[in-house]
Amino acid sequence: MQFLQALVFTALAYLSPGAKGAPPIAHAIAAEVSAHCVEPGALGGSCALDAIALGVTAYEEGKLCLGTACLRGDHDRSSSTFQTMGRTPEETALYERDLGAATRQAYYILRASAAQCPDEPLAGYTGGCGRRGARAIARPRLALARMLA
């Protein structure tokens, strides 16, 4: 876990030098990926690529914000630096106050997206496999994650 945490922190520091959210977000990502990833990872490269992709997602979706500093999206249904969408207002509030829960849900969504959209594995996270806009957002995110990994 320490290696993944250092790797993700380094990537986050590259994306947003001095971001106060980087250390706890890197820790949460490393803990979640270490606990649930099986090589070669959901994205087919490595568990490290999954972790870096989550870091890129945290940066792109919420600019590494923490807690209530994160703006809600999707008509107030998504929260946290990952913009994870809750099924209920209570679940959305949980993701806003609990970085571990938000990271767990984000990694679940990333894995599901990779399984559903093998040719554009992050498109499911960004809006859907068949949506051109989602694919256009997902493509550079995965390219950046691969470059950083």
PDB file of all heavy atoms in Angstrom, residues 68-95:
ATOM      1  N   THR A  68     -17.102  19.193   2.280  1.00  0.00           N
ATOM      2  CA  THR A  68     -18.081  20.159   1.773  1.00  0.00           C
ATOM      3  C   THR A  68     -17.452  21.232   0.886  1.00  0.00           C
ATOM      4  O   THR A  68     -18.173  22.013   0.276  1.00  0.00           O
ATOM      5  CB  THR A  68     -18.842  20.835   2.938  1.00  0.00           C
ATOM      6  OG1 THR A  68     -17.893  21.453   3.805  1.00  0.00           O
ATOM      7  CG2 THR A  68     -19.688  19.830   3.701  1.00  0.00           C
ATOM      8  N   ALA A  69     -16.116  21.244   0.788  1.00  0.00           N
ATOM      9  CA  ALA A  69     -15.465  22.153  -0.162  1.00  0.00           C
ATOM     10  C   ALA A  69     -15.714  21.702  -1.596  1.00  0.00           C
ATOM     11  O   ALA A  69     -15.559  22.489  -2.531  1.00  0.00           O
ATOM     12  CB  ALA A  69     -13.965  22.230   0.113  1.00  0.00           C
ATOM     13  N   CYS A  70     -16.108  20.448  -1.763  1.00  0.00           N
ATOM     14  CA  CYS A  70     -16.424  19.928  -3.095  1.00  0.00           C
ATOM     15  C   CYS A  70     -17.819  20.395  -3.494  1.00  0.00           C
ATOM     16  O   CYS A  70     -18.774  20.225  -2.734  1.00  0.00           O
ATOM     17  CB  CYS A  70     -16.403  18.397  -3.103  1.00  0.00           C
ATOM     18  SG  CYS A  70     -14.826  17.669  -2.655  1.00  0.00           S
ATOM     19  N   LEU A  71     -17.919  20.962  -4.661  1.00  0.00           N
ATOM     20  CA  LEU A  71     -19.229  21.349  -5.167  1.00  0.00           C
ATOM     21  C   LEU A  71     -19.984  20.095  -5.585  1.00  0.00           C
ATOM     22  O   LEU A  71     -19.398  19.158  -6.115  1.00  0.00           O
ATOM     23  CB  LEU A  71     -19.079  22.290  -6.364  1.00  0.00           C
ATOM     24  CG  LEU A  71     -18.371  23.611  -6.087  1.00  0.00           C
ATOM     25  CD1 LEU A  71     -18.204  24.392  -7.381  1.00  0.00           C
ATOM     26  CD2 LEU A  71     -19.131  24.421  -5.055  1.00  0.00           C
ATOM     27  N   ARG A  72     -21.261  20.090  -5.344  1.00  0.00           N
ATOM     28  CA  ARG A  72     -22.093  18.969  -5.787  1.00  0.00           C
ATOM     29  C   ARG A  72     -22.423  19.146  -7.262  1.00  0.00           C
ATOM     30  O   ARG A  72     -22.499  20.252  -7.773  1.00  0.00           O
ATOM     31  CB  ARG A  72     -23.369  18.885  -4.966  1.00  0.00           C
ATOM     32  CG  ARG A  72     -23.103  18.373  -3.561  1.00  0.00           C
ATOM     33  CD  ARG A  72     -24.379  18.007  -2.900  1.00  0.00           C
ATOM     34  NE  ARG A  72     -24.136  17.395  -1.608  1.00  0.00           N
ATOM     35  CZ  ARG A  72     -25.077  16.778  -0.934  1.00  0.00           C
ATOM     36  NH1 ARG A  72     -26.310  16.701  -1.417  1.00  0.00           N
ATOM     37  NH2 ARG A  72     -24.806  16.246   0.229  1.00  0.00           N
ATOM     38  N   GLY A  73     -22.635  18.020  -7.926  1.00  0.00           N
ATOM     39  CA  GLY A  73     -22.980  18.049  -9.336  1.00  0.00           C
ATOM     40  C   GLY A  73     -24.198  17.195  -9.615  1.00  0.00           C
ATOM     41  O   GLY A  73     -24.821  16.659  -8.700  1.00  0.00           O
ATOM     42  N   ASP A  74     -24.516  17.039 -10.888  1.00  0.00           N
ATOM     43  CA  ASP A  74     -25.638  16.188 -11.309  1.00  0.00           C
ATOM     44  C   ASP A  74     -26.912  16.511 -10.529  1.00  0.00           C
ATOM     45  O   ASP A  74     -27.534  15.624  -9.934  1.00  0.00           O
ATOM     46  CB  ASP A  74     -25.275  14.701 -11.194  1.00  0.00           C
ATOM     47  CG  ASP A  74     -24.094  14.332 -12.059  1.00  0.00           C
ATOM     48  OD1 ASP A  74     -24.158  14.588 -13.273  1.00  0.00           O
ATOM     49  OD2 ASP A  74     -23.104  13.801 -11.522  1.00  0.00           O
ATOM     50  N   HIS A  75     -27.260  17.787 -10.521  1.00  0.00           N
ATOM     51  CA  HIS A  75     -28.473  18.248  -9.837  1.00  0.00           C
ATOM     52  C   HIS A  75     -28.463  17.874  -8.364  1.00  0.00           C
ATOM     53  O   HIS A  75     -29.457  17.394  -7.819  1.00  0.00           O
ATOM     54  CB  HIS A  75     -29.726  17.732 -10.541  1.00  0.00           C
ATOM     55  CG  HIS A  75     -29.763  18.064 -11.990  1.00  0.00           C
ATOM     56  ND1 HIS A  75     -30.034  19.335 -12.459  1.00  0.00           N
ATOM     57  CD2 HIS A  75     -29.499  17.308 -13.082  1.00  0.00           C
ATOM     58  CE1 HIS A  75     -29.968  19.332 -13.772  1.00  0.00           C
ATOM     59  NE2 HIS A  75     -29.639  18.129 -14.183  1.00  0.00           N
ATOM     60  N   ASP A  76     -27.307  18.064  -7.718  1.00  0.00           N
ATOM     61  CA  ASP A  76     -27.117  17.851  -6.280  1.00  0.00           C
ATOM     62  C   ASP A  76     -27.073  16.362  -5.895  1.00  0.00           C
ATOM     63  O   ASP A  76     -27.167  16.027  -4.734  1.00  0.00           O
ATOM     64  CB  ASP A  76     -28.200  18.576  -5.474  1.00  0.00           C
ATOM     65  CG  ASP A  76     -27.699  19.042  -4.133  1.00  0.00           C
ATOM     66  OD1 ASP A  76     -26.530  19.483  -4.040  1.00  0.00           O
ATOM     67  OD2 ASP A  76     -28.470  18.973  -3.160  1.00  0.00           O
ATOM     68  N   ARG A  77     -26.902  15.474  -6.875  1.00  0.00           N
ATOM     69  CA  ARG A  77     -26.893  14.042  -6.576  1.00  0.00           C
ATOM     70  C   ARG A  77     -25.501  13.451  -6.494  1.00  0.00           C
ATOM     71  O   ARG A  77     -25.345  12.296  -6.117  1.00  0.00           O
ATOM     72  CB  ARG A  77     -27.716  13.278  -7.621  1.00  0.00           C
ATOM     73  CG  ARG A  77     -29.194  13.605  -7.557  1.00  0.00           C
ATOM     74  CD  ARG A  77     -29.957  12.866  -8.608  1.00  0.00           C
ATOM     75  NE  ARG A  77     -29.345  13.156  -9.916  1.00  0.00           N
ATOM     76  CZ  ARG A  77     -29.648  12.555 -11.039  1.00  0.00           C
ATOM     77  NH1 ARG A  77     -30.537  11.612 -11.062  1.00  0.00           N
ATOM     78  NH2 ARG A  77     -29.062  12.894 -12.164  1.00  0.00           N
ATOM     79  N   SER A  78     -24.456  14.180  -6.880  1.00  0.00           N
ATOM     80  CA  SER A  78     -23.097  13.645  -6.792  1.00  0.00           C
ATOM     81  C   SER A  78     -22.247  14.571  -5.942  1.00  0.00           C
ATOM     82  O   SER A  78     -22.464  15.780  -5.903  1.00  0.00           O
ATOM     83  CB  SER A  78     -22.488  13.448  -8.183  1.00  0.00           C
ATOM     84  OG  SER A  78     -22.379  14.665  -8.864  1.00  0.00           O
ATOM     85  N   SER A  79     -21.295  13.955  -5.247  1.00  0.00           N
ATOM     86  CA  SER A  79     -20.461  14.731  -4.336  1.00  0.00           C
ATOM     87  C   SER A  79     -19.078  14.104  -4.251  1.00  0.00           C
ATOM     88  O   SER A  79     -18.825  13.055  -4.836  1.00  0.00           O
ATOM     89  CB  SER A  79     -21.106  14.794  -2.945  1.00  0.00           C
ATOM     90  OG  SER A  79     -21.170  13.509  -2.369  1.00  0.00           O
ATOM     91  N   SER A  80     -18.210  14.751  -3.533  1.00  0.00           N
ATOM     92  CA  SER A  80     -16.827  14.373  -3.267  1.00  0.00           C
ATOM     93  C   SER A  80     -15.939  14.752  -4.445  1.00  0.00           C
ATOM     94  O   SER A  80     -16.420  15.161  -5.497  1.00  0.00           O
ATOM     95  CB  SER A  80     -16.659  12.886  -2.934  1.00  0.00           C
ATOM     96  OG  SER A  80     -16.495  12.094  -4.100  1.00  0.00           O
ATOM     97  N   THR A  81     -14.658  14.595  -4.260  1.00  0.00           N
ATOM     98  CA  THR A  81     -13.714  14.908  -5.333  1.00  0.00           C
ATOM     99  C   THR A  81     -13.898  13.976  -6.528  1.00  0.00           C
ATOM    100  O   THR A  81     -13.514  14.300  -7.635  1.00  0.00           O
ATOM    101  CB  THR A  81     -12.262  14.884  -4.820  1.00  0.00           C
ATOM    102  OG1 THR A  81     -11.420  15.491  -5.802  1.00  0.00           O
ATOM    103  CG2 THR A  81     -11.785  13.479  -4.506  1.00  0.00           C
ATOM    104  N   PHE A  82     -14.536  12.814  -6.304  1.00  0.00           N
ATOM    105  CA  PHE A  82     -14.794  11.858  -7.392  1.00  0.00           C
ATOM    106  C   PHE A  82     -16.142  12.104  -8.069  1.00  0.00           C
ATOM    107  O   PHE A  82     -16.453  11.461  -9.053  1.00  0.00           O
ATOM    108  CB  PHE A  82     -14.787  10.424  -6.850  1.00  0.00           C
ATOM    109  CG  PHE A  82     -13.481  10.009  -6.258  1.00  0.00           C
ATOM    110  CD1 PHE A  82     -13.310   9.949  -4.885  1.00  0.00           C
ATOM    111  CD2 PHE A  82     -12.414   9.667  -7.066  1.00  0.00           C
ATOM    112  CE1 PHE A  82     -12.107   9.553  -4.325  1.00  0.00           C
ATOM    113  CE2 PHE A  82     -11.201   9.267  -6.518  1.00  0.00           C
ATOM    114  CZ  PHE A  82     -11.053   9.218  -5.149  1.00  0.00           C
ATOM    115  N   GLN A  83     -16.955  13.009  -7.508  1.00  0.00           N
ATOM    116  CA  GLN A  83     -18.312  13.250  -7.997  1.00  0.00           C
ATOM    117  C   GLN A  83     -19.098  11.946  -8.092  1.00  0.00           C
ATOM    118  O   GLN A  83     -19.765  11.664  -9.086  1.00  0.00           O
ATOM    119  CB  GLN A  83     -18.310  14.012  -9.323  1.00  0.00           C
ATOM    120  CG  GLN A  83     -17.944  15.468  -9.170  1.00  0.00           C
ATOM    121  CD  GLN A  83     -18.929  16.232  -8.300  1.00  0.00           C
ATOM    122  OE1 GLN A  83     -20.086  16.374  -8.641  1.00  0.00           O
ATOM    123  NE2 GLN A  83     -18.461  16.722  -7.158  1.00  0.00           N
ATOM    124  N   THR A  84     -19.015  11.143  -7.032  1.00  0.00           N
ATOM    125  CA  THR A  84     -19.775   9.898  -6.974  1.00  0.00           C
ATOM    126  C   THR A  84     -21.235  10.218  -6.707  1.00  0.00           C
ATOM    127  O   THR A  84     -21.557  11.060  -5.872  1.00  0.00           O
ATOM    128  CB  THR A  84     -19.218   8.958  -5.890  1.00  0.00           C
ATOM    129  OG1 THR A  84     -18.985   9.704  -4.708  1.00  0.00           O
ATOM    130  CG2 THR A  84     -17.925   8.323  -6.330  1.00  0.00           C
ATOM    131  N   MET A  85     -22.116   9.538  -7.435  1.00  0.00           N
ATOM    132  CA  MET A  85     -23.541   9.807  -7.361  1.00  0.00           C
ATOM    133  C   MET A  85     -24.186   8.839  -6.381  1.00  0.00           C
ATOM    134  O   MET A  85     -24.043   7.620  -6.503  1.00  0.00           O
ATOM    135  CB  MET A  85     -24.182   9.649  -8.744  1.00  0.00           C
ATOM    136  CG  MET A  85     -25.624  10.112  -8.786  1.00  0.00           C
ATOM    137  SD  MET A  85     -26.362   9.982 -10.422  1.00  0.00           S
ATOM    138  CE  MET A  85     -25.412  11.186 -11.325  1.00  0.00           C
ATOM    139  N   GLY A  86     -24.902   9.400  -5.423  1.00  0.00           N
ATOM    140  CA  GLY A  86     -25.639   8.571  -4.485  1.00  0.00           C
ATOM    141  C   GLY A  86     -27.007   8.212  -5.026  1.00  0.00           C
ATOM    142  O   GLY A  86     -27.589   8.963  -5.807  1.00  0.00           O
ATOM    143  N   ARG A  87     -27.517   7.070  -4.595  1.00  0.00           N
ATOM    144  CA  ARG A  87     -28.877   6.663  -4.994  1.00  0.00           C
ATOM    145  C   ARG A  87     -29.932   7.403  -4.182  1.00  0.00           C
ATOM    146  O   ARG A  87     -31.083   7.490  -4.588  1.00  0.00           O
ATOM    147  CB  ARG A  87     -29.040   5.156  -4.836  1.00  0.00           C
ATOM    148  CG  ARG A  87     -28.199   4.370  -5.828  1.00  0.00           C
ATOM    149  CD  ARG A  87     -28.362   2.886  -5.600  1.00  0.00           C
ATOM    150  NE  ARG A  87     -27.746   2.562  -4.324  1.00  0.00           N
ATOM    151  CZ  ARG A  87     -26.746   1.715  -4.155  1.00  0.00           C
ATOM    152  NH1 ARG A  87     -26.251   1.074  -5.180  1.00  0.00           N
ATOM    153  NH2 ARG A  87     -26.248   1.489  -2.970  1.00  0.00           N
ATOM    154  N   THR A  88     -29.514   7.905  -3.019  1.00  0.00           N
ATOM    155  CA  THR A  88     -30.404   8.658  -2.134  1.00  0.00           C
ATOM    156  C   THR A  88     -29.656   9.911  -1.669  1.00  0.00           C
ATOM    157  O   THR A  88     -28.424   9.959  -1.735  1.00  0.00           O
ATOM    158  CB  THR A  88     -30.779   7.830  -0.890  1.00  0.00           C
ATOM    159  OG1 THR A  88     -29.585   7.596  -0.127  1.00  0.00           O
ATOM    160  CG2 THR A  88     -31.439   6.503  -1.277  1.00  0.00           C
ATOM    161  N   PRO A  89     -30.373  10.908  -1.162  1.00  0.00           N
ATOM    162  CA  PRO A  89     -29.684  12.078  -0.613  1.00  0.00           C
ATOM    163  C   PRO A  89     -28.741  11.705   0.534  1.00  0.00           C
ATOM    164  O   PRO A  89     -27.668  12.300   0.672  1.00  0.00           O
ATOM    165  CB  PRO A  89     -30.827  12.976  -0.130  1.00  0.00           C
ATOM    166  CG  PRO A  89     -31.995  12.590  -0.981  1.00  0.00           C
ATOM    167  CD  PRO A  89     -31.838  11.110  -1.218  1.00  0.00           C
ATOM    168  N   GLU A  90     -29.113  10.712   1.316  1.00  0.00           N
ATOM    169  CA  GLU A  90     -28.265  10.279   2.425  1.00  0.00           C
ATOM    170  C   GLU A  90     -26.962   9.668   1.920  1.00  0.00           C
ATOM    171  O   GLU A  90     -25.897   9.898   2.499  1.00  0.00           O
ATOM    172  CB  GLU A  90     -29.011   9.261   3.308  1.00  0.00           C
ATOM    173  CG  GLU A  90     -30.216   9.822   4.039  1.00  0.00           C
ATOM    174  CD  GLU A  90     -31.460   9.987   3.159  1.00  0.00           C
ATOM    175  OE1 GLU A  90     -31.558   9.340   2.097  1.00  0.00           O
ATOM    176  OE2 GLU A  90     -32.325  10.792   3.527  1.00  0.00           O
ATOM    177  N   GLU A  91     -27.034   8.904   0.852  1.00  0.00           N
ATOM    178  CA  GLU A  91     -25.829   8.302   0.282  1.00  0.00           C
ATOM    179  C   GLU A  91     -24.922   9.375  -0.313  1.00  0.00           C
ATOM    180  O   GLU A  91     -23.700   9.335  -0.135  1.00  0.00           O
ATOM    181  CB  GLU A  91     -26.212   7.260  -0.780  1.00  0.00           C
ATOM    182  CG  GLU A  91     -25.077   6.384  -1.191  1.00  0.00           C
ATOM    183  CD  GLU A  91     -25.512   5.238  -2.100  1.00  0.00           C
ATOM    184  OE1 GLU A  91     -26.726   4.958  -2.226  1.00  0.00           O
ATOM    185  OE2 GLU A  91     -24.622   4.632  -2.700  1.00  0.00           O
ATOM    186  N   THR A  92     -25.494  10.358  -0.970  1.00  0.00           N
ATOM    187  CA  THR A  92     -24.706  11.465  -1.508  1.00  0.00           C
ATOM    188  C   THR A  92     -24.018  12.205  -0.366  1.00  0.00           C
ATOM    189  O   THR A  92     -22.833  12.552  -0.467  1.00  0.00           O
ATOM    190  CB  THR A  92     -25.601  12.418  -2.324  1.00  0.00           C
ATOM    191  OG1 THR A  92     -26.194  11.681  -3.395  1.00  0.00           O
ATOM    192  CG2 THR A  92     -24.814  13.574  -2.894  1.00  0.00           C
ATOM    193  N   ALA A  93     -24.729  12.421   0.722  1.00  0.00           N
ATOM    194  CA  ALA A  93     -24.141  13.092   1.887  1.00  0.00           C
ATOM    195  C   ALA A  93     -23.015  12.250   2.486  1.00  0.00           C
ATOM    196  O   ALA A  93     -22.004  12.795   2.944  1.00  0.00           O
ATOM    197  CB  ALA A  93     -25.217  13.372   2.934  1.00  0.00           C
ATOM    198  N   LEU A  94     -23.168  10.926   2.481  1.00  0.00           N
ATOM    199  CA  LEU A  94     -22.112  10.037   2.976  1.00  0.00           C
ATOM    200  C   LEU A  94     -20.838  10.232   2.160  1.00  0.00           C
ATOM    201  O   LEU A  94     -19.750  10.371   2.721  1.00  0.00           O
ATOM    202  CB  LEU A  94     -22.559   8.578   2.915  1.00  0.00           C
ATOM    203  CG  LEU A  94     -21.478   7.540   3.200  1.00  0.00           C
ATOM    204  CD1 LEU A  94     -21.024   7.611   4.659  1.00  0.00           C
ATOM    205  CD2 LEU A  94     -21.971   6.143   2.847  1.00  0.00           C
ATOM    206  N   TYR A  95     -20.952  10.279   0.841  1.00  0.00           N
ATOM    207  CA  TYR A  95     -19.774  10.458  -0.012  1.00  0.00           C
ATOM    208  C   TYR A  95     -19.126  11.818   0.221  1.00  0.00           C
ATOM    209  O   TYR A  95     -17.922  11.965   0.083  1.00  0.00           O
ATOM    210  CB  TYR A  95     -20.126  10.284  -1.486  1.00  0.00           C
ATOM    211  CG  TYR A  95     -20.674   8.927  -1.825  1.00  0.00           C
ATOM    212  CD1 TYR A  95     -21.636   8.774  -2.802  1.00  0.00           C
ATOM    213  CD2 TYR A  95     -20.246   7.782  -1.153  1.00  0.00           C
ATOM    214  CE1 TYR A  95     -22.148   7.525  -3.121  1.00  0.00           C
ATOM    215  CE2 TYR A  95     -20.759   6.545  -1.455  1.00  0.00           C
ATOM    216  CZ  TYR A  95     -21.715   6.422  -2.441  1.00  0.00           C
ATOM    217  OH  TYR A  95     -22.220   5.180  -2.753  1.00  0.00           O
TER     218      TYR A  95
END
